[in-house]
């Protein structure tokens, strides 16, 4: 006689089993027996993604209709609390139904709410007036309009991501102020340029990949990981009188990793760029500079200032964009400023990608190798057919006896 031991396990154990299954498979357990018919509807976590939907259904509205049936079953039969909900699927939601579902979740003790990816020709207004989740700790919003009428805030929120949202400067500032324990902030693709003001004392991670007109960072003593990738050219009439590199990066004394790209470098180069920051970035160990243009003197000045201001740098990553004009003035600048007795006493890893003309990078490579006593690896990726030969590399003076140099080629 077969004994059904699994069906009689405590719900906490059964839920643990079901949560280890994709939701599509958890739903299928409803056909096992009458005992299992509604067990999946009592889960505390729901991930609605493409794995849940039939691959034969391609129409975005039809795919949403499949999702809607699942949400309806949960709404009718769910007992207990929903602590996590995630929607990330190729579908076109009905905004009114999505808003009602969000309001339904507000009656639960939601800790994680994630809208990550779906198709929507127009933005929908996120119902903050109906979204009362006092224990919320993780919030990701996508494709919505954010207004905050009578907003009480999220006292437990530690992770916030906004992607493809419509929000104005004052609303974003209020939202951030009302999240007093926020630790991770990711801002991606705003509909309109904003002036970003951040004064969250608990913040540890900041990523900006959006249209931002200006940045103010104040009282962020624990901010250790920063990425700034501006999606628009700097707006001259909003630049501060003080140099942005000094004003924004110079105050981040706890920073350990910094990643910047093309427009960000130009933004930081307003006014007079110092040779190095007056307050050195003693904790900065990883510096990533992408889309650096070798014929842009501003890029070179900011990059070199950051390198000189990080005495404990351990990893340096640089990707180079194709030059549009002559780079002689930049090469001359590097020659003049790379002969000042600077040493990288802790630099271990260097990666330089996107070299179009080897002469542009040659002086910088020589400088790094000659002044890095503990360097372990240097990877050089050249675009096109040419690369540095082993004979060329052997001629370079190396302060580190154990450094390995890898020279590669890549298609652009």
């Amino acid at each position: 006689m077969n004994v059904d031991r699994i069906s009689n396990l405590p719900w906490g154990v059964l839920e643990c089993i079901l949560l280890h299954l994709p939701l599509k498979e958890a739903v299928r357990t409803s056909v096992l027996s009458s005992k299992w018919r509604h067990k999946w509807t009592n889960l505390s976590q729901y991930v609605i993604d493409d794995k849940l939907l039939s691959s034969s259904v391609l129409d975005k509205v039809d795919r949403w209709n499949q999702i809607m049936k699942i949400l309806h079953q949960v709404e009718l039969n769910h007992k207990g609390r929903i602590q996590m909900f995630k929607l990330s699927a190729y579908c076109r939601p009905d905004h009114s139904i999505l808003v009602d579902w969000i309001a339904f979740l507000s009656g639960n003790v939601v800790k994680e709410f994630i809208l990550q990816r779906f198709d929507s020709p127009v933005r929908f207004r996120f119902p903050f007036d109906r979204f009362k989740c006092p224990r919320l700790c993780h919030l990701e919003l996508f494709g919505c309009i954010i207004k905050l009428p009578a907003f009480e805030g999220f006292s437990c929120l530690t992770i916030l991501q906004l992607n493809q949202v419509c929000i104005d400067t004052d609303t974003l500032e209020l939202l951030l102020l009302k999240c007093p324990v926020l630790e991770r902030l990711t801002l991606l693709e705003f509909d309109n340029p904003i002036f970003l003001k951040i004064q969250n004392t608990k913040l540890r991670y900041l990523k900006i990949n959006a249209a931002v007109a200006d940045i103010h960072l104040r009282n962020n003593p624990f901010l250790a990981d920063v990425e700034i990738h501006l999606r628009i050219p700097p707006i001259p009439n909003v630049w501060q009188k003080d140099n942005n590199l000094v004003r924004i990066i110079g105050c981040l004394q706890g920073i350990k990793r910094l990643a910047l790209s093309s427009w960000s470098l130009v933004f930081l180069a307003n006014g007079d760029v110092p040779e190095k920051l007056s307050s050195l970035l003693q904790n900065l160990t990883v510096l990533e500079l992408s889309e650096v243009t070798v014929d842009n003197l501003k890029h070179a000045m900011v990059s070199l200032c950051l390198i000189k201001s990080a005495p404990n740098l351990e990893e340096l990553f640089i990707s180079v964009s194709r030059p549009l004009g002559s780079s002689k003035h930049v090469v001359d600048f590097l020659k003049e400023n790379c002969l000042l007795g600077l040493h990288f006493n802790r630099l271990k890893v260097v990666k330089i990608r996107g070299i179009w003309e080897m002469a542009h990078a040659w002086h910088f490579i020589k400088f790094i190798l000659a002044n890095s006593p503990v360097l372990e690896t240097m990877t050089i990726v050249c675009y096109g057919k040419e690369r540095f030969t082993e004979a060329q590399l052997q001629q370079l003076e190396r302060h580190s006896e154990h450094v390995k140099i890898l020279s590669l080629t890549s298609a652009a």
Side-chain angles (χ1 to χ4, degrees), residues 162-323:
L162 304 179
N163 187 5
Q164 296 188 30
V165 301
C166 180
I167 188 171
D168 60 44
T169 295
D170 292 339
T171 302
L172 180 56
E173 183 178 5
L174 175 61
L175 176 59
L176 297 179
L177 286 173
K178 293 286 188 175
C179 301
V181 296
L182 190 65
E183 295 181 2
R184 297 181 63 86
L185 175 62
T186 304
L187 305 173
L188 310 172
E189 296 190 43
F190 293 146
D191 287 358
N192 301 296
I194 65 164
F195 295 80
L196 185 59
K197 300 178 182 179
I198 301 174
Q199 42 189 331
N200 296 73
T201 59
K202 304 291 185 181
L203 197 65
R204 298 178 182 274
Y205 171 85
L206 172 64
K207 179 176 181 178
I208 304 169
N209 193 341
V212 174
D214 198 11
I215 302 171
H216 288 266
L217 301 178
R218 295 179 182 174
N219 197 18
N220 313 114
F222 300 109
L223 191 51
D225 194 334
V226 176
E227 295 185 39
I228 303 177
H229 308 290
L230 301 187
R231 301 295 294 269
I232 59 172
I235 303 174
N237 62 0
V238 301
W239 280 1
Q240 299 290 321
K241 182 178 180 180
D242 297 329
N243 171 255
N244 288 335
L245 179 62
V246 175
R247 179 175 62 88
I248 298 170
I249 306 301
C251 69
L252 301 179
Q253 292 303 302
I255 193 169
K256 296 180 180 179
R257 173 182 172 268
L258 176 63
L260 302 168
S261 60
S262 179
W263 290 127
S264 308
L265 295 170
V266 176
F267 170 74
L268 295 173
N270 73 303
D272 297 326
V273 179
E275 180 182 315
K276 64 181 178 180
L277 297 173
S278 58
S279 296
L280 298 181
L281 305 175
Q282 299 285 355
N283 295 299
L284 185 63
T285 58
V286 180
L287 179 60
E288 301 174 19
L289 304 172
S290 59
E291 302 173 22
V292 177
T293 307
V294 295
D295 57 352
N296 189 314
L297 184 58
K298 294 285 190 180
H299 282 198
M301 294 172 69
V302 171
S303 300
L304 196 57
C305 174
L306 288 170
I307 291 171
K308 289 183 175 182
S309 301
N312 297 313
L313 196 64
E314 296 180 5
E315 299 180 24
L316 175 63
F317 306 96
I318 300 176
S319 69
V320 182
S321 294
R322 188 167 192 166

Side-chain angles (χ1 to χ4, degrees), residues 63-170:
R63 291 168 71 85
W64 170 252
N65 289 334
Q66 286 189 351
I67 293 172
M68 200 165 55
K69 291 177 182 178
I70 294 171
L71 299 183
H72 183 64
Q73 286 295 313
V74 174
E75 198 168 352
L76 285 177
N77 300 291
H78 191 271
K79 299 174 183 177
R81 296 174 173 177
I82 299 176
Q83 296 185 347
M84 190 275 277
F85 175 78
K86 177 180 178 179
L87 171 61
S88 178
Y90 179 73
C91 65
R92 180 168 293 178
D94 180 308
H95 291 166
S96 62
I97 294 174
L98 180 57
V99 167
D100 286 342
W101 172 255
I102 293 170
F104 167 75
L105 288 176
S106 296
N108 292 268
V109 188
V110 176
K111 294 183 178 179
E112 296 183 53
F113 181 85
I114 301 171
L115 295 181
Q116 213 165 61
R117 183 178 62 87
F118 50 81
D119 179 75
S120 182
V122 296
R123 303 283 187 240
F124 76 99
R125 182 162 177 166
F126 190 86
F128 274 100
D129 54 335
R130 303 168 65 185
F131 191 63
K132 310 297 182 182
C133 301
R135 298 188 184 180
L136 189 70
C137 60
H138 183 165
L139 176 64
E140 297 186 26
L141 298 180
F142 175 91
C144 63
I145 300 169
I146 298 178
K147 301 288 185 181
L148 301 175
F151 181 56
E152 297 177 1
F154 299 119
S155 60
C156 298
L157 193 70
T158 58
I159 301 173
L160 174 63
Q161 176 172 304
L162 304 179
N163 187 5
Q164 296 188 30
V165 301
C166 180
I167 188 171
D168 60 44
T169 295
D170 292 339

Side-chain angles (χ1 to χ4, degrees), residues 329-360:
H329 60 300
V330 175
V331 173
D332 291 342
F333 172 80
L334 291 175
K335 285 181 180 178
E336 294 173 5
N337 289 274
C338 288
L339 301 176
L340 303 178
L342 182 64
H343 293 273
F344 302 100
N345 294 322
R346 300 198 178 188
L347 190 62
K348 298 178 181 179
V349 178
V350 174
K351 294 182 181 179
I352 306 173
R353 182 178 180 84
I355 296 173
W356 292 91
E357 297 181 29
M358 292 186 292
H360 295 152

